[in-house]
Every structure is written in C-alpha cells, then in structure tokens.
C-alpha cells in the first residue's frame, strides 16, 4: 500500500472516530455539594478536587527546590543582552526609544537556585524580619522571579502591585500591608522617591538595576531608606548564608492588589496551597508540558495568570525567557528596525496571553495581508476559508496533504511572527472574542486554552480543553474547582432555565483564596463557607452551562463593565447622567469587554424632538421616520455628549454611537420593571441587531 493512501486513510478514520467521540464528549458533570442550592459541576476526569500534582509537595518553595535539584543543568531563566539603546526621531519630530537586543543569556536551574538562596540570605542580612512584608514593584523580569522565590524560601509574604494602579493606590497598598522592603527597578524607584513622604513603613529598597537614580540619594541621606542594589544583596547573602525557613501550605504567599471596580484597591491573600492548586490544575491541561518547552514571559507578574504560569513552568523543568510587550515581535514598537524581537530569538513553544495582545497580533496580520493585496491576499483568504470549514466539520482540510500545503504556502509566515514553534497559548484575564480565537487557531495552528478565573479564586475556575474547537465559551471546571450556578431572580437568570441552566457563578476548591487583606466586611460579602467547610467565592458573573458541561459567560451581575483596555464603565451611573438631556426619554448604555468604547440605545422624547424638528422645518410622515433621520440622530447625540461632558464623564464613558428609538419601553413589553427600571437583558435581546450594528 502506498504511503499516500495510508496518509489519507489513517487521518480519515482517525477524524471520524474523533468526531464521533467529540459529539458525546462530556467535559463537566454534575456534582453533589453543600452550600446554597444550585447547579454544580466538576471536571469529568477528576472525581475529587486536585490540590497538588506533586507527591509530598504542598508549597511553592518546595516545588521550586525539588525542580531545581531535578533539572540542575537545564536552562531556567533567560534574559536578553542589551546591545544598545538608541533614540529614533520620527518625521513629526517625536522621538522614540529603540532597543537593540541580543541573544538570551541563561541561568540553569542549579544557578538559579543558588541565586535564590543568596537573595534569601541577603534579605535576612539586610535586617528584613520574616514576619515583615516585602513588595515587588517592577516589570516582569528574571530578578522578579528570583526575589519571589527568595521570599518564599524564608516564609516572607510578597505584596504585588499592578503597575497601572496609580500613585494613590500604590501608597495605599504599601501602607496597608506595612511593607518594610520594596524591590523595584530604577524606573519604579524614581516614582517611589517622589512619594517618599507618604511611605512611612518602608525601610529598605532593593534596586534591580545597577543605575540607582541620583534623586534617590537625598532620601537615603535623610536616613529614612537604605538603598541596596540587587547584586549587593546577592553578595551579602553569599558571604553570610542563612538557613531556609519554609512556609506551610496555609501560609500566605502573596497579597495581590487589584483595582476595585470602585474606590480603593483590594489585596487578595493567596496561600501557597491556593497557588499550588491552580498550578497543578493547569498542568493537567497543557498537553505534555516538560523540559523541552520554552515559555515566553512578558505579562505582568503582578497578575495571577503570569505568576501561576511561571511557577508551573519552573516546576516542570521548562525554560522561561523574558521579554516585554513592546519588544515581542520584530515589528514591535521598541525594537530597532532590522533587529529581532523576543519571540524570534527565543522561539517559544508555549505562551500566556491576554485578549488585547492577541487582538493586536490578529490586526497586524490582517493589515499586512491587505497591504500586500493581489495574489497573496487571495491565497490567504482561500487558505483561511478552507481551514475554517475544516474546523467546522469537513474533515479533508484538517488533516493530511492539504493542511501541509497551506502551512507551507501561507501559515508558516504567520507562525514565524511568534518564532514558529508555538504549540499552546494560554489566554486569560478577559474573554477572548470568537473571531480572534478562530483567527489565532487557524493562522498559528496552535490551540488556545482559554481560562476563566479571578484573582480571588487564584485564577482557578474553568478552562477550555485543547480538543475543544468551539469558540465563545470558557470550558469546563478546572480539576481544582467546583463551579456552581445559583439563581439570580432579580436579573432573570434561573437554574431552571432551558435549554441551558443559567445563574450567578460561584466557585469553590482549594484554589479559593482566604479573602481580602484587612477587609473582613468585604470578605464576608463575597466569600461564604458552607456546612461542609468548603469556601465559595461569589463572582458576580452570570453564566450558562452547555450540554457538555462547559460554561459560557453571559452577563455581569453588577452593571459595571470592564472595557477592552481595562476601564470600568458603570452603566447605571452613565445612564443617570445622560438621561438629563431633554431629548432622552429613556436610555440603556451597552458596553462589552471586546470593545474599547460603549454605545447606547436611546428612546427619544417625542415632544422635545418634534419641537426641534418643527423649528428646523423638517418634514416627515411619522415620528419613527423622524427618528431614523441622520440629522435627528446627530442633534440628539450632540446633546448627549454635552450633558455627558457637563456631568464630567470620562471620554470612554460617553457612548461612541447611539441608536434612536421612537417607541417607549414598557413593562407590558417586559423591557422595564414595574418600578420602571430598565431590564438590561430583555432590552439587549430585543435590540440585539441594533446593538450589533452600532459596533460595526
Ligand atoms: C510563616 O509566617 C507567618 C507570618 O509571619 C507565620 O504566622 C507562620 O507561622 C509562619 N509559618 C511557619 C511554618 O513558620
Ligand atoms: C497608613 O496607615 C495608617 C494605619 O495603619 C494610617 O493611620 C495612616 O493614615 C496611613 N497613611 C497613609 C499615607 O495612608
Ligand atoms: C462555521 O460554523 C459556524 C457555526 O457553527 C457558522 O456560523 C459559520 O458560518 C461556519 N463557517 C463556515 C465557513 O462554514
Ligand atoms: C483555604 C480553603 O478554602 N481551603 C479549602 C479548599 O478546599 C478544600 C476542599 O477540597 C476545603 O476542605 C478547604 O477548606
């Protein structure tokens, strides 16, 4: 039999088998749990919750030490050499910093372990007591990871602060946790110096860069801070070794500050056991993760997704190469023209990502293809369509020769953008749009595992499995989590709904964190312990469960929506401000995390709009026709923008587009409550087409 026939037949049989099994494949199944009644699910493959994948290991410190001993000579931490830093002046006179970066320089597992031990000893020698907290305030880099592990080894709790939190939040969180040592880069040190008057508890600063800014010396001279370089801490530790002081599973490893949707940031306390459970669960989901893998690290380590990912990678013997979002690819903004981006040099096999970055990759590819035009665009479009229909069910394109051909002709060039070897992408932080997920799947030929989780659940929650080619869903429960839907009658979501059960999502498991730091009240509000001692976190997200046990997020209980770039829009607040316009009878704001702007449905106030039309001498048959007219929409929109500005709304809070409606929303039609409050879900459904058009 010729190789060709085997090449076609084997995949054919395999695909048919796969398709049959796919149809029936259950991913999440019901489970009997305590607490509030609802529809609870667990991962199919695990009958009990996973808390560690490594026998005898219960903390991140133990995991790291064991892995270093096992993988001694393998590469662990890679950092690119800086060849030169240049300033490029663009045509418009603005100047940009460009970097010329070289090869990766590596620390092996053995060397990294020694560095971590030295750092831990040095920290103790500096006078940092282990019951005091350390804050790490820096971009993602090898020193960050070393400092983290160094603290873990001595049972020192690390406070992480999201760089985008702003100055007030920074002072607030450092003060609240009474941090005595801050570890930062020279860029962050400059910021700290400006705020030094407000940082009463800080005694030591460890600067990761050799160039300590000159402004820092005044704070040092005043005797308030002692500033030491990272390298000096290492030397101090090497010369004066101190024994490890291991934490236990229930000790708090990290206090992670995240922005609250309103007001001050909240510090989520994560134990070693919490993070280890997530790390263990994610390990079961990335296929064959091991010492052959190379991971590109560039997301903020102050984000739980990246923190868990790097601990996992270091736990299984893979290599971590550090990069930044601005130097990721050859065309990234900080890369000197003609030199290589991080992905091209590292050639990673695994990455973590967030939707905004994957959207950027997609847009970049599309732009390039469109710019080329002609035959290459036709070829790309054809290949894309073929691959899409292959994913949709026709088996021929998915396997065998055709796939090979398209890879060779078209997709290998796209794959090369991320180094050409990517075999798995982990996406989290926000929902990924179906369009981008398909695009990346098809062009990179690499599956995306999309996760749903929160800082409070230590990123635990659900995860879409590699062989699940559907889009728009977030998958089945992680092996470390139970997911439960509970009724939310006010919102109109019930576990008795059909065809799919719906409700607020609550999450339990060894992954659920112990609560907010120094905020008992808030903790009690969203964490509940059931009669069996299981902790449940109330997410405020609303979901529905598909027949195979996978979750889809459909709404948010609070009417606060996070836009694509991370700004929060409180729909109710904005509506209250805009309804002041004389032309507005009623209004519903709409925002979603896939877009950077909001839109609005506006019910026109008939008397006001007709009065304006009469003054303008506009002729029309009926009010509906008047509301369709471009000039009417323009007038109403201008009025909305004006009242929005008067109410001091931010630019992103003011709708970018509106749809003007001529009929009022009534409770008979089910669009408002008896108390005339708008029913978002019902309105969204009734005007789904209009909303979709507003985002075109
Ligand atoms: C770790 O540190 C915490 C806080 O200082 C302390 O309460 C705990 O007992 C320590 N754990 C061990 C095993 O010593
Ligand atoms: C720091 O925290 C203390 C209480 O722990 C409080 O009295 C003080 O006002 C806070 N300082 C700042 C600058 O927030
Ligand atoms: C693929 O399937 C989805 C729904 O399952 C459908 O919306 C889409 O049009 C299909 N695409 C192609 C190219 O067949
Ligand atoms: C800290 C915490 O929430 N621990 C819980 C984790 O889950 C187990 C059940 O698997 C509970 O027994 C723990 O109390």
């Amino acid at each position: 039999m010729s190789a060709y026939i085997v090449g076609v037949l084997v995949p054919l049989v395999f695909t048919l088998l796969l398709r049959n099994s796919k149809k029936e494949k259950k991913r999440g199944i019901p489970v009997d749990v305590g607490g509030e009644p609802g529809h609870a699910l667990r991962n199919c493959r695990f009958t009990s919750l996973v808390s560690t994948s490594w026998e005898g290991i219960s903390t991140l410190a133990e995991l790291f030490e064991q892995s270093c001993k096992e993988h001694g000579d393998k590469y662990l931490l890679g950092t690119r050499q800086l060849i030169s830093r240049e300033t490029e002046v663009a045509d418009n006179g603005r100047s940009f910093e460009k970097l010329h970066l070289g090869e990766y320089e590596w620390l092996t597992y053995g060397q990294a372990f020694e560095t971590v031990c030295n750092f831990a000893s040095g920290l103790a020698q500096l006078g940092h007591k282990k019951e005091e907290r350390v804050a790490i305030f820096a971009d993602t880099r090898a020193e960050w990871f070393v400092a983290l592990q160094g603290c873990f080894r001595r049972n020192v709790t690390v406070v992480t602060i999201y760089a985008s939190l702003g100055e007030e939040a920074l002072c607030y969180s450092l003060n609240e946790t009474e941090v005595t040592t801050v570890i930062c880069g020279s860029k962050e040190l400059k910021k700290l110096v400006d705020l030094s008057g407000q940082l009463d508890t800080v005694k030591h600063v460890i600067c990761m860069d050799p160039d300590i800014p000159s402004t820092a010396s005044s704070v040092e001279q005043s005797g308030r801070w002692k500033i030491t370089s990272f390298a000096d801490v290492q030397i101090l530790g090497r010369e004066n070794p101190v024994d490890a002081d291991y934490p236990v599973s229930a000790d708090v490893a990290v206090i992670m500050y995240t922005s609250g949707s309103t007001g001050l940031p909240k510090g989520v306390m994560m134990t070693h056991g919490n993070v280890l459970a997530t790390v263990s669960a994610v390990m079961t989901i990335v296929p064959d993760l091991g010492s052959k893998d190379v991971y590109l690290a560039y997301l903020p380590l102050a984000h739980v997704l990246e923190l868990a990912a790097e601990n996992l990678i270091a736990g299984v013997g893979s290599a971590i190469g550090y990069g930044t979002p601005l130097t990721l690819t050859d065309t990234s903004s900080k890369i000197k023209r003609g030199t290589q981006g991080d992905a091209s040099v590292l050639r990673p096999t695994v990455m973590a990502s967030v939707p905004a970055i994957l959207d950027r990759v997609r847009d970049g590819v599309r732009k390039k293809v469109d710019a080329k035009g002609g035959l290459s665009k036709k070829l790309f479009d054809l290949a894309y369509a073929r691959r899409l229909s292959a994913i949709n069910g026709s088996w021929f394109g998915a396997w065998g020769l055709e796939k090979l051909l398209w890879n060779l002709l078209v997709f290998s060039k796209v794959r090369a953008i991320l180094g050409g070897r990517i075999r798995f992408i982990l996406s989290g932080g926000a929902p990924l749009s179906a369009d981008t997920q398909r695009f990346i799947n098809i062009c990179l030929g690499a599956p995306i595992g999309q996760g749903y989780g929160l800082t409070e659940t230590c990123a635990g929650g659900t995860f879409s499995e590699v062989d699940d080619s559907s889009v728009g869903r977030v998958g089945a429960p992680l092996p470390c989590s139970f997911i439960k839907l509970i009724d939310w009658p006010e919102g109109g979501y019930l576990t008795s709904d059909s065809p799919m059960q719906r409700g607020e999502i609550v999450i339990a498991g060894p992954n659920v964190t112990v609560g907010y730091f120094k905020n008992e009240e808030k903790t009690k509000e969203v964490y509940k312990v059931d009669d069996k001692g299981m902790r449940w976190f109330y997410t405020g997200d609303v979901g529905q469960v598909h027949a195979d046990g996978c979750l889809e997020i459909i709404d948010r209980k609070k009417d606060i929506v996070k836009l694509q770039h991370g700004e929060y829009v409180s729909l109710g607040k904005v509506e209250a401000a805009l309804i002041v316009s004389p032309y507005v009878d009623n209004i519903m704001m709409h925002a979603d995390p896939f877009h950077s702007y909001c839109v609005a449905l506006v019910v026109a106030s008939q008397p006001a709009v007709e009065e304006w039309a009469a003054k303008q001498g506009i002729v029309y048959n009926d009010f509906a026709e008047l509301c369709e007219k471009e000039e009417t929409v323009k007038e109403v929109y201008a009025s909305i923008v004006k009242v929005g500005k008067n109410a001091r709304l931010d630019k992103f809070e003011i709708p970018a587009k509106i749809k003007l409606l001529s009929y009022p929303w009534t409770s008979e039609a089910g669009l408002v409550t008896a108390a005339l409050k708008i029913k978002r879900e019902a309105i969204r459904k009734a005007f789904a087409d209009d909303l979709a058009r507003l985002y075109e």
Side-chain angles (χ1 to χ4, degrees):
M1 200 154 61
S2 79
Y4 175 75
I5 294 178
V6 176
V8 173
L9 270 185
V10 171
L12 169 59
V13 171
F14 193 55
T15 312
L16 289 177
L17 282 176
L18 206 71
R19 278 182 63 202
N20 280 335
S21 64
K22 227 185 217 170
K23 236 177 231 150
E24 285 142 28
K25 181 157 183 179
K26 279 271 189 186
R27 297 173 192 278
I29 56 172
V31 60
D32 190 22
V33 293
E36 221 171 307
H39 178 56
L41 295 167
R42 67 164 170 87
N43 188 291
C44 265
R45 295 184 289 143
F46 297 82
T47 45
S48 62
L49 291 175
V50 170
S51 51
T52 178
S53 287
W54 294 270
E55 211 180 311
I57 299 282
S58 64
T59 67
L60 299 171
E62 290 166 349
L63 176 62
F64 181 67
E65 182 163 353
Q66 167 178 296
S67 184
C68 286
K69 295 203 164 136
E70 187 182 337
H71 302 288
D73 293 336
K74 297 220 169 71
Y75 285 163
L76 173 57
L77 302 174
T79 303
R80 293 187 75 184
Q81 238 179 332
L82 177 65
I83 294 174
S84 66
R85 196 186 284 275
E86 295 165 20
T87 310
E88 213 167 82
V89 181
D91 297 340
N92 61 12
R94 279 178 60 194
S95 60
F96 299 91
E97 186 186 53
K98 299 276 176 185
L99 301 179
H100 183 188
L101 299 169
E103 290 298 317
Y104 274 88
E105 291 171 335
W106 292 95
L107 285 183
T108 64
Y109 273 82
Q111 290 163 336
F113 185 63
E114 207 180 305
T115 313
V116 164
C117 292
N118 291 342
F119 184 82
S121 302
L123 189 64
Q125 293 297 344
L126 275 188
H128 183 94
K129 301 198 191 72
K130 62 193 172 65
E131 58 279 4
E132 296 172 339
R133 283 172 279 267
V134 160
I136 307 183
F137 178 49
D139 292 332
T140 296
R141 53 198 279 180
E143 290 83 358
W144 210 117
F145 189 76
V146 167
L148 182 78
Q149 295 295 346
C151 290
F152 286 171
R153 245 185 113 60
R154 302 221 64 240
N155 185 22
V156 169
T157 299
V158 174
V159 176
T160 70
I161 299 149
Y162 216 75
S164 64
L165 271 189
E167 288 176 3
E168 197 192 353
L170 176 67
C171 291
Y172 178 83
S173 35
L174 291 179
N175 186 45
E176 186 174 68
T177 48
E178 297 161 70
V179 160
T180 56
T181 301
V182 182
I183 304 170
C184 60
S186 60
K187 187 178 73 186
E188 293 82 19
L189 181 51
K190 277 191 200 123
K191 240 189 230 177
L192 290 174
V193 168
D194 293 342
L195 303 169
S196 61
Q198 297 168 61
L199 303 176
D200 298 335
T201 59
V202 176
K203 288 187 279 191
H204 304 281
V205 174
I206 299 175
C207 184
M208 294 174 177
D209 297 303
D211 53 326
I212 293 173
S214 55
T215 50
S217 58
S218 62
V219 188
E220 194 166 24
Q221 271 159 19
S222 71
R224 310 226 341 265
W225 296 353
K226 187 168 180 330
I227 300 173
T228 316
S229 76
F230 202 80
D232 286 343
V233 177
Q234 298 275 347
I235 295 168
L236 192 63
R238 191 164 60 221
E239 289 168 358
N240 309 276
V242 175
D243 283 342
D245 216 318
Y246 296 102
V248 294
S249 174
D251 284 326
V252 175
V254 177
I255 301 177
M256 188 169 277
Y257 274 85
T258 62
S259 54
S261 45
T262 48
L264 294 163
K266 295 173 297 190
V268 177
M269 295 184 283
M270 297 175 181
T271 65
H272 280 269
N274 290 153
V275 187
L276 188 64
T278 300
V279 166
S280 301
V282 174
M283 189 172 109
T284 66
I285 264 146
V286 185
D288 306 320
L289 191 65
S291 55
K292 285 199 284 297
D293 283 300
V294 180
Y295 174 83
L296 175 52
Y298 65 97
L299 293 177
L301 264 162
H303 192 298
V304 59
L305 176 74
E306 183 67 19
L307 188 88
E310 290 191 26
N311 274 283
L312 169 61
I313 296 294
V316 297
S318 314
I320 304 176
Y322 287 91
T324 75
L326 298 180
T327 56
L328 210 54
T329 66
D330 297 353
T331 52
S332 289
S333 61
K334 267 197 159 180
I335 288 291
K336 182 184 167 186
R337 203 165 305 161
T339 68
Q340 287 187 308
D342 306 328
S344 304
V345 179
L346 186 66
R347 308 193 58 233
T349 60
V350 181
M351 312 173 39
S353 197
V354 291
I357 288 186
L358 294 176
D359 285 353
R360 224 181 286 157
V361 171
R362 180 200 63 184
D363 294 344
V365 172
R366 286 232 169 107
K367 225 194 260 158
K368 233 178 182 172
V369 170
D370 287 344
K372 272 192 183 154
L375 187 63
S376 34
K377 179 166 161 51
K378 281 211 182 83
L379 206 59
F380 182 88
D381 290 344
L382 180 63
Y384 191 83
R386 291 292 298 162
R387 193 56 77 76
L388 188 61
S389 66
I391 288 177
N392 261 11
S394 94
W395 50 270
F396 230 106
W399 298 87
L401 289 177
E402 184 176 345
K403 181 172 177 178
L404 218 67
L405 188 70
W406 289 130
N407 279 349
L408 209 65
L409 281 175
V410 179
F411 297 124
S412 62
K413 293 190 194 101
V414 181
R415 273 176 72 76
I417 295 175
L418 293 177
R421 290 200 303 176
I422 287 285
R423 67 179 189 89
F424 193 83
I425 296 178
L426 224 128
S427 175
L432 186 62
S433 72
D435 183 43
T436 301
Q437 188 178 344
R438 278 263 186 267
F439 194 90
I440 301 284
N441 274 161
I442 288 174
C443 293
L444 294 180
I448 297 183
Q450 197 184 169
Y452 162 72
L454 301 98
T455 308
E456 286 86 343
T457 63
C458 206
T462 66
F463 208 89
S464 62
E465 290 165 291
V466 174
D467 60 348
D468 183 358
S469 63
S470 67
V471 291
R473 315 189 309 167
V474 292
L478 274 168
C480 66
S481 309
F482 289 151
I483 300 290
K484 182 160 66 175
L485 297 183
I486 57 169
D487 285 345
W488 181 38
E490 298 84 358
Y493 295 111
L494 300 174
T495 53
S496 56
D497 287 345
S498 76
M500 283 189 248
Q501 292 164 306
R502 306 189 298 177
E504 182 185 356
I505 302 163
V506 294
I507 302 178
N511 52 299
V512 172
T513 56
V514 288
Y516 301 113
F517 187 72
K518 284 190 189 164
N519 197 338
E520 192 70 21
E521 192 186 336
K522 183 80 191 156
T523 302
K524 276 203 185 123
E525 199 181 308
V526 287
Y527 291 85
K528 289 180 189 152
V529 181
D530 71 15
D531 33 10
K532 292 180 189 161
M534 178 101 54
R535 289 173 73 82
W536 293 91
F537 177 71
Y538 284 64
T539 65
D541 290 324
V542 176
Q544 62 186 15
V545 172
H546 288 251
D548 60 355
C550 286
L551 187 71
E552 181 182 353
I553 312 293
I554 50 176
D555 205 349
R556 174 106 192 119
K557 205 169 150 188
K558 297 194 190 83
D559 62 4
I560 291 172
V561 180
K562 193 176 176 186
L563 293 178
Q564 194 178 31
H565 298 312
E567 308 94 333
Y568 284 96
V569 181
S570 166
L571 303 176
K573 179 192 95 178
V574 176
E575 283 157 3
L578 299 185
I579 207 163
V580 169
S581 158
Y583 295 128
V584 176
D585 184 50
N586 212 339
I587 180 166
M588 189 188 84
M589 291 291 297
H590 180 75
D592 75 35
F594 302 129
H595 292 92
S596 54
Y597 57 90
C598 9
V599 298
L601 295 171
V602 176
V603 177
S605 158
Q606 190 159 357
V609 173
E610 284 188 332
E611 191 187 334
W612 165 80
K615 261 192 216 147
Q616 303 293 310
I618 295 172
V619 242
Y620 55 94
N621 290 320
D622 56 26
F623 189 54
E625 191 196 321
L626 179 60
C627 288
E628 290 291 339
K629 283 187 187 292
E630 204 180 300
E631 50 212 298
T632 316
V633 177
K634 216 166 152 187
E635 170 72 12
V636 174
Y637 184 68
S639 158
I640 283 177
V641 171
K642 195 166 150 223
V643 297
K645 280 189 179 148
N646 285 345
R648 299 169 146 261
L649 292 184
D650 270 312
K651 202 166 159 221
F652 61 82
E653 292 177 303
I654 296 177
K657 286 187 197 168
I658 61 167
K659 166 75 189 174
L660 199 58
L661 304 168
S662 56
Y663 293 106
W665 294 329
T666 62
S667 56
E668 287 84 347
L671 297 179
V672 292
T673 63
L676 299 182
K677 278 178 74 178
I678 57 173
K679 287 169 107 173
R680 292 184 190 286
E681 189 50 24
I683 296 175
R684 251 176 235 153
K685 206 176 269 167
F687 296 94
D689 292 346
D690 289 306
L691 286 172
R693 238 169 277 138
L694 287 173
Y695 273 125
E696 267 164 16

